[in-house]
Every structure is written in C-alpha cells, then in structure tokens.
Amino acid sequence: MNAFDYLLSKLHQYFAGTPFSIWVQGSRDRHLQLSYSSVPKEEADSIHTHKPDEVSFHAGVDRYLYEEQADLCYLRFFFSEEGQAVVVRQKSDSSPISLTSEQWEILWLAFQLFVAEEMIETKSQEWTKLLQGIHSISATLDVESIIRDIIGNALAVIPAADAGLLHLYDADIDRLVPKATVGFHNTVYRNFKLRIGESIAGKVFQDGQPRMYRTHPETSQAMIDLSQDNFDSLNDAKALHSLTGLLCVPISLEQKRIGVLVLHQFHQENVFSNYDLALLQGFADQTSIALQNARLYAESREAYQNMAAISEQLRVKHDDLVKRNKIHESIKQLSLQNKGTETIVKALGRMTAKQIFFADWLEQRYYPADSPILFSWDELSALLAGKRHPILVQLFSAQKNRQQSCYVYPLTNGSVFLGCLIILIKERHLSELERVTIEQGSAVLTLDLVKKQSLSSVLYKRAHDIFQELIVSKGSELFERARGFGLSPHGDYWVIYAYLSRSHDLSLLEANIHRLVTRWKWDFASSQVLTYGFHNHVTILLTPSSSLEVKEVIERLSDAVQEWELEKEVSLSIGAGSVVSDLEQIGKSFEEAKKAAHYLANRGRSGVVRYSDLGINRLILNQSQEDIDAFIRDVFEPLWEGQEKYQELEHTLLTYMRCSQSPQQAARELHIHVNTLYQRLKRIEELLSIDLHQPADLLKVQLACHLRQE
C-alpha cells in the first residue's frame, strides 16, 4: 500500500463516512490543487468548488492546524519547503471532528510520506530526462545539431518552463545572438541581438551570475533596459505580457563565457525553484563540455558506448523499480520471446479489451493481417507529420451512418517515424490502466521494430557484398555464384540503381532505404532476384520477361519518385541499365544504371532515366558539374557582358539551335523576318568569335546550348 492509499484509509476511518476532499500545494505549485474527493463532483459541489484559503508556512506555525468556516472544516498540514495539504470536510453533528494528537500526527506523517514519494518520483523522472538529454547531446558530431537540441532537452528536465532561447556570443559583432529556440517564432533570429550587459541575458553573460525571476513584475523590471528594437523583435516572436517567470544561466568553456541559456514561463502553473536554477546550470555546463568535445567524438566513441551501456542499464533498472507490475512483465516477456509484431498487437488488444491495429510505416502494412484499412498511408502521413504524442481522431462512416472514435499513437525512433497504434474506443478517453498498457506496449513494439530494422541492415550489407562479388566474377566462379542466386547462364537480366540524396539524418535515411526495399520487393516480386539497400542507394536485380514488363517497371518507379517528392524528405534519382542476356554483362547493366542515377543526382534532379535514353549525355557523365558550367560560361560569356544588350541575341541563338538550324522555323518562333535572323546570327558569330559554317564551332555551340537546357 502506498502512502496516499494509507492516508485515505485513515481519513475514511476518522471521518466515519463524512464527505471530504484533499487539496495539495507542492513546492513547485503556485496554488492549492484538488487531489481527491471522497464523492463524485455532482454530489458534493461545496467540497469541490470551495477552494481553501492559502496559508503561508513560516517559523512558529504548527505542523498542522484546524479551522472552521461556515459549514466546512479545514485540517491544514504544513511540510516546510515541500508544501502543504488541506483536508476539507463538511461539518456533521452526527460525526464531529475530534482527533487525538496521535491521529493528527499519523495524518501529518502520512501526508509527509506522500509528499516525499511524489518528490522521489519527480526527481527520478528528472534524472531520466537529464540522462536522455546528455545522451542526445553526446551522440552526434554535428555542433549545429547539438545547439538545436539544447533548449528542448532543458525544457524536458525543468517542467515549470515552456519556452526558451540559447544565445551564443558573436565576437564579430560583439553581441549575443539566438542560436536555438523553442516556443518562440523563428523571427527572433532576424534582429534580436543583445549587447553585453543589456537586459537579463546580457547581465548574466557579463558577470556570470545565474538569475531567477518568479513573477511578471520582477521579470519585467529586470528587462527594463532592453532596447526598443530588441523588445519589438522578442515580443513579435512571443507576447511578453504573458511572461510570468525566467531562469538564466551562463554557458562557460573553462573560465571563458561563451553564451547564456534562458528558460521562460508563459503558461505553466508551477514556479521555478533554486533546484531548477542549479539543474539548468549543470545542464549548461554539460552543454559546454559537449561543444568542446564534439571534434573529439570519434576518438571517444568507445568510451561513449560504455557510458551509453551503463545509462541503458540504469534506465532498465529504473523502469523495473518504477513499473514493476503484471502488465509490464507480460509485455516484456512477449518481447524477450521474440513473438513478433502481430503477437504483441494482439496481446495489447486482449489486455485492454479493445480493438487495436498497428500500421507499419516502414513496410507499409497493417497488423493483424486482416485489419480494416482505417487510414490510407497519405492520410497517416498528413495526420502524424511531426507528431510525437497520441491524438484523438473521429471517424465517420457514410455507409453505416455512424461515428467511431480512435486514438492514434505514433511510434518513433528519434526522428524516424516507425508507424502507429490505432485503438478504437467508445469513450473519449482511455483509463489509466489502458493508457499504461498502451504506452508499455508501444515501447516494446518500438524496440521490436528497431531490432527488425537493424537486422535488415545487416542482411542488406551481406546482399551487397554477394552482389559485388557476382558482378566481378568470371568463368566457372561466376556460374558457381550465379547458381547461389538461382540464375541461369543465358537469361535476361536488368539492374536498377536508386540514389537517395538530400537526406542528412542517417537514421531517417536508413528508414527510407528500408521502406524502398520493402516496397519494391512487393512491387516487382514476379521478376526481382535481389533487392537491397546500402548506404544511400538501393539496387534491384530483375529478370524481365518482356519489353512490356520493362515499361511497367519504369512506370512504377516513376510513381514512386512522385510520391517521395511529395513527402519532401529525400530526393530520389533512379537509373536503369540495359537489359542484358548474359551473366557476365550484369556488371555492365549495373554500371550503366549507376551512371544514369548519378547523372540525375549531380544535376539536382529526381526522376527515372534509362542509360540508353541519355544519348549524347553519356559523353559527359564523368564530367563534374563545375567543368560543365565552366564550358557553358566560356561559350556564352561574351553574350552575358551587358545582359540587357545581348539577352535578345542569346535567346535567338538558343531558339536557332533548338530548331535544328532552320532559319525559317527559328524566324517564325522568334516572330521576326528571316533577314533579321541572319543579321542577328552574324552579330552572334562576331561576339563569340565563331563561324557557324565550321563543323567544330557549330558542334561547340550546339553542345553548349544543349547543356544550358539540361
């Protein structure tokens, strides 16, 4: 029995059935909060609606106090800095309050134990979040990424704050400038620049002393010297009239201050404490260390892995202590026994007595296999974009003329969206037991999916190695390896190479690779021999049965490109090699597909292109874009000197080449007389120092015009 249950049992015993309510004010709370009522609200409005007056604790006040007002009795209990509690009870002639000193002491001790348990749980959560924050900061080489994560991690550790800014000192302009923000509009980056000593952040940077403000008046007074420009910029990003508190600590590197970390309170009911200030300072110190050691991350990787392993062990032990219950153990056993996704989802349904489905985003499939399709994948993408918390969705069936509510729980691994649990409900909320069950199941399901994805990555690496060995093999060794794939010596073979660019998040890239491989294995199941992903590309080996199937594959690949462009996560450039009829030519098809894909990627283009359709562009596949741009510039530069004067001539030349040097057709498209065209061409030859009747000059200009239009 926990402290609160023990407390309730004693109050029911002492009050003999008389209605009562409990109000608690913790060390972080601004006001008393209703924690419990012995009867439903509609049957005891006076106890619910009559909030007790708040009495500040100070030296000389007893640990408990009895008061009466009108028809209510107040039993007050004080716990020094931890807060206070008030038991509100209706007066009753049949059961008057007459507690012995021992009973008062028992109740006070029960409240004290309850407050202590709450504090222990809060501290435990803070440590968990702080360890996660340290892990996040230490797990990347990207300094910019570290800076972006600072505010989010600080807000996770200090719940009384709901917005924040991180300023770093810019020596070039001698100002503190925002580098990361949460809760403010991005316009704050444009003009907000603090002088040293200006406002709260400027003073903290100047003297290195942390500062804490708990009310709107004292915060406003501390910011009174903020310049008008900076005030307007900050107020545009977040209305300052709602600012009720602020924490600010310096960020130092050894003895040198490099910035400040500021947390703001706009809407939270809690108050900042000295502990929060110390915690924020510790977080800032960890941040400075992370920034200093970012360049040494590679050398420290082994030490970091050991620390991460210890942190994971602590997390597991902590979870065992806090959540040691039947639900947790049952779900954990499912994971340990490798029961699989469908088994876990069905177990969650049994435990909650609800219909639960899982939409696997990476593999684009529902579990259980016979689940109704409640959402299309496009709908899920739009519904859960950027979401990390469950959302309530109302579904309406026009055919059955009825409405259905469901909770959608997104499952993520860092920045990677893995899928979501869909829970059909009749009420508008889940019970506490159901919520805990779903959250525990979500965690186990996420681990199972990550494990499956990691295993797939290992298999992809093995498939890559085997395929590379195949395409470089010759003679009997080639036939031996081909038999391992089930390939005949003289079949038709075709290689597709898909290159993913514009993806800087490695975890997200790996997830996208897995999605593509899974989809294309299904799409091309009838002819695909091997499909795998490696680093930032996907390779497919096909055995097409006809030219019609080749055309169908190209169309499906084009559809995939269009769908991925809509998501705006990565750019997909796909190359297709030639269809070859000999095992030894598979390597040739692979190289062609790779070159075609890189041709698109090097030009910043997505889409699908066959190597055979590149035409003259094959001659420049190995040329860098810089060389191509330099060639175009060398040809057209005389026309670019004085853009207004020669723009008409440049347009004339491009049109003339596009019309295959037909003067009549070019004149019609330009809406000029053919003699005017000849005059312009003469002027172009003079400016470019060429003779369009000379094959070498003509070829140079034709190639430059072609590259301009690519």
Side-chain angles (χ1 to χ4, degrees):
M1 178 183 295
N2 60 32
F4 194 69
D5 290 339
Y6 176 77
L7 174 65
L8 291 179
S9 69
K10 289 300 180 184
L11 287 173
H12 283 293
Q13 176 185 343
Y14 296 160
F15 292 168
T18 304
F20 65 91
S21 62
I22 300 176
W23 300 72
V24 178
Q25 181 180 9
S27 60
R28 294 179 179 272
D29 297 327
R30 293 182 184 272
H31 307 289
L32 287 165
Q33 305 290 331
L34 179 63
S35 296
Y36 174 80
S37 177
S38 61
V39 293
K41 179 178 179 181
E42 60 273 11
E43 298 180 18
D45 280 343
S46 61
I47 291 181
H48 281 288
T49 60
H50 188 83
K51 183 178 180 180
D53 296 334
E54 296 176 2
V55 176
S56 300
F57 176 82
H58 54 82
V61 176
D62 293 334
R63 294 189 298 183
Y64 32 81
L65 182 66
Y66 177 78
E67 295 178 345
E68 292 186 1
Q69 292 182 14
D71 60 342
L72 296 176
C73 306
Y74 300 91
L75 287 74
R76 298 184 181 274
F77 300 87
F78 303 96
F79 312 105
S80 183
E81 297 181 358
E82 288 80 11
Q84 59 179 294
V86 182
V87 180
V88 182
R89 179 201 167 186
Q90 292 180 342
K91 287 184 180 179
S92 174
D93 295 335
S94 61
S95 179
I97 294 181
S98 178
L99 300 180
T100 66
S101 59
E102 180 181 356
Q103 291 172 332
W104 276 100
E105 192 69 20
I106 288 174
L107 291 178
W108 184 87
L109 288 172
F111 270 117
Q112 179 76 357
L113 183 57
F114 166 65
V115 172
E117 287 181 352
E118 291 290 310
M119 290 182 63
I120 290 173
E121 184 176 354
T122 299
K123 301 300 182 188
S124 179
Q125 293 173 353
E126 289 176 352
W127 268 108
T128 300
K129 293 177 180 178
L130 182 58
L131 286 173
Q132 292 172 351
I134 295 173
H135 175 84
S136 175
I137 291 173
S138 305
T140 177
L141 289 170
D142 185 3
V143 176
E144 292 298 326
S145 176
I146 293 174
I147 294 176
R148 287 194 302 270
D149 289 344
I150 289 174
I151 296 294
N153 291 331
L155 290 176
V157 172
I158 302 175
D162 47 20
L165 284 170
L166 182 142
H167 303 267
L168 291 182
Y169 177 67
D170 189 334
D172 293 336
I173 60 174
D174 191 29
R175 292 289 189 274
L176 287 168
V177 296
K179 287 296 183 181
T181 177
V182 169
F184 287 88
H185 195 275
N186 287 340
T187 55
V188 74
Y189 291 111
R190 298 177 186 169
N191 303 313
F192 192 62
K193 297 177 178 61
L194 285 173
R195 301 187 310 276
I196 307 306
E198 179 184 355
S199 189
I200 299 171
K203 292 181 178 64
V204 170
F205 183 81
Q206 186 176 50
D207 58 26
Q209 296 300 315
R211 285 169 171 79
M212 175 174 63
Y213 303 94
R214 299 181 178 180
T215 65
H216 177 73
E218 67 178 4
T219 307
S220 299
Q221 181 62 32
M223 298 171 62
I224 197 170
D225 61 337
L226 185 64
S227 71
Q228 188 63 44
D229 289 343
N230 282 333
F231 178 86
D232 292 341
S233 177
L234 191 59
N235 193 55
D236 287 343
K238 187 80 172 180
L240 295 179
H241 64 81
S242 301
L243 184 61
T244 57
L246 184 145
L247 293 178
C248 184
V249 298
I251 301 177
S252 301
L253 194 59
E254 296 179 347
Q255 301 302 317
K256 180 182 178 181
R257 284 184 286 279
I258 61 174
V260 293
L261 185 57
V262 190
L263 296 188
H264 305 74
Q265 184 183 72
F266 289 94
H267 310 295
Q268 297 288 349
E269 283 296 322
N270 296 340
V271 295
F272 290 127
S273 66
N274 291 328
Y275 176 77
D276 293 334
L277 191 64
L279 193 61
L280 184 60
Q281 183 62 69
F283 187 81
D285 293 341
Q286 289 289 345
T287 301
S288 67
I289 294 173
L291 293 171
Q292 182 184 29
N293 292 339
R295 294 172 300 170
L296 304 176
Y297 178 81
E299 298 176 4
S300 305
R301 186 172 184 179
E302 182 177 353
Y304 163 75
Q305 290 174 342
N306 292 335
M307 184 187 72
I310 294 173
S311 298
E312 178 64 16
Q313 293 173 7
L314 291 174
R315 187 191 68 79
V316 172
K317 291 180 180 179
H318 173 265
D319 288 346
D320 288 342
L321 291 174
V322 175
K323 301 176 181 179
R324 190 185 300 271
N325 53 59
K326 182 178 179 179
I327 294 174
H328 174 77
E329 290 299 327
S330 299
I331 299 177
K332 186 175 68 174
Q333 288 303 317
L334 290 175
S335 176
L336 294 175
Q337 295 169 12
N338 294 318
K339 293 296 185 179
T341 302
E342 186 162 350
T343 301
I344 295 174
V345 174
K346 288 182 178 179
L348 290 176
R350 289 195 302 271
M351 292 178 183
T352 58
K354 297 194 180 295
Q355 286 186 285
I356 299 181
F357 315 112
F358 175 64
D360 189 329
W361 177 255
L362 297 183
E363 296 192 353
Q364 304 276 282
R365 60 186 298 187
Y366 273 84
Y367 294 92
D370 57 351
S371 301
I373 307 301
L374 300 178
F375 301 96
S376 69
W377 299 111
D378 289 339
E379 289 172 336
L380 282 179
S381 177
L383 187 66
L384 297 174
K387 298 291 193 309
R388 292 294 181 268
H389 301 289
I391 59 175
L392 178 64
V393 179
Q394 301 292 335
L395 302 175
F396 180 75
S397 173
Q399 295 178 344
K400 299 181 180 180
N401 193 26
R402 70 176 184 179
Q403 191 169 343
Q404 173 72 64
S405 299
C406 69
Y407 267 109
V408 181
Y409 273 76
L411 273 63
T412 60
N413 178 31
S415 61
V416 179
F417 175 58
L418 302 175
C420 62
L421 284 171
I422 303 171
I423 304 99
L424 299 183
I425 58 174
K426 295 181 179 179
E427 304 81 9
R428 291 184 62 85
H429 65 277
L430 296 172
S431 68
E432 181 66 18
L433 183 61
E434 291 168 342
R435 185 186 62 79
V436 170
T437 303
I438 296 299
E439 290 181 354
Q440 293 291 328
S442 298
V444 171
L445 196 55
T446 299
L447 291 175
D448 188 71
L449 294 171
V450 172
K451 181 171 60 178
K452 184 191 299 183
Q453 186 179 344
S454 299
L455 179 59
S456 296
S457 297
V458 174
L459 296 177
Y460 295 159
K461 173 64 169 61
R462 178 58 181 157
H464 171 77
D465 293 342
I466 293 175
F467 181 71
Q468 293 300 312
E469 292 172 356
L470 174 70
I471 62 178
V472 298
S473 299
K474 301 293 182 182
S476 60
E477 182 184 6
L478 172 62
F479 296 130
E480 183 66 27
R481 295 187 185 278
R483 277 195 294 270
F485 280 103
L487 304 178
S488 63
H490 300 292
D492 286 339
Y493 303 107
W494 188 30
V495 178
I496 306 294
Y497 186 95
Y499 180 82
L500 285 78
S501 58
R502 205 174 65 200
S503 180
H504 307 292
D505 187 327
L506 295 181
S507 298
L508 191 58
L509 176 62
E510 184 178 357
N512 285 327
I513 289 287
H514 186 74
R515 283 178 59 196
L516 276 179
V517 170
T518 302
R519 171 175 176 169
W520 286 341
K521 280 185 176 180
W522 292 344
D523 286 352
F524 311 132
S526 61
S527 60
Q528 72 93 21
V529 177
L530 178 68
T531 304
Y532 70 88
F534 187 69
H535 292 323
N536 57 357
H537 66 266
V538 175
T539 303
I540 314 174
L541 175 60
L542 302 167
T543 56
S545 58
S546 65
S547 59
L548 183 63
E549 184 174 0
V550 170
K551 181 180 179 181
E552 181 181 349
V553 169
I554 294 296
E555 290 176 351
R556 289 193 178 186
L557 292 174
S558 299
D559 292 341
V561 170
Q562 293 178 5
E563 293 174 15
W564 281 63
E565 285 298 311
L566 291 176
E567 295 182 15
K568 298 181 179 179
E569 287 184 354
V570 296
S571 181
L572 196 56
S573 304
I574 304 178
S578 303
V579 178
V580 298
S581 57
D582 191 281
L583 283 174
E584 293 186 350
Q585 293 183 324
I586 293 178
K588 171 179 175 291
S589 182
F590 172 75
E591 290 299 325
E592 290 178 350
K594 186 175 180 181
K595 289 178 180 179
H598 285 158
Y599 168 79
L600 292 177
N602 291 339
R603 285 151 184 78
R605 290 161 51 185
S606 61
V608 183
V609 64
R610 298 183 64 174
Y611 182 79
S612 58
D613 294 337
L614 289 178
I616 193 173
N617 292 312
R618 299 187 200 176
L619 301 177
I620 57 172
L621 283 177
N622 296 323
Q623 298 297 322
S624 68
Q625 190 61 41
E626 291 79 7
D627 291 341
I628 294 173
D629 291 340
F631 172 73
I632 296 173
R633 185 169 56 252
D634 289 343
V635 173
F636 281 92
E637 191 166 21
L639 298 180
W640 293 344
E641 297 176 355
Q643 187 67 21
E644 295 181 359
K645 183 176 181 181
Y646 300 125
Q647 186 174 8
E648 184 179 69
L649 296 180
E650 180 181 358
H651 179 58
T652 298
L653 178 60
L654 291 172
T655 304
Y656 180 65
M657 292 300 168
R658 188 172 65 251
C659 294
S660 302
Q661 299 92 54
S662 170
Q664 290 75 19
Q665 183 179 351
R668 283 196 299 270
E669 289 201 16
L670 293 169
H671 305 291
I672 61 176
H673 193 274
V674 68
N675 290 334
T676 304
L677 174 65
Y678 287 133
Q679 292 173 4
R680 291 185 184 180
L681 292 176
K682 184 64 176 176
R683 181 59 177 150
I684 290 170
E685 288 178 324
E686 293 174 356
L687 289 171
L688 301 186
S689 300
I690 61 172
D691 183 353
L692 293 176
H693 296 92
Q694 292 295 324
D697 289 348
L698 179 61
L699 178 60
K700 180 177 71 171
V701 174
Q702 285 177 324
L703 183 57
C705 291
H706 170 74
L707 295 175
R708 276 286 304 277
Q709 296 169 344
E710 271 294 292

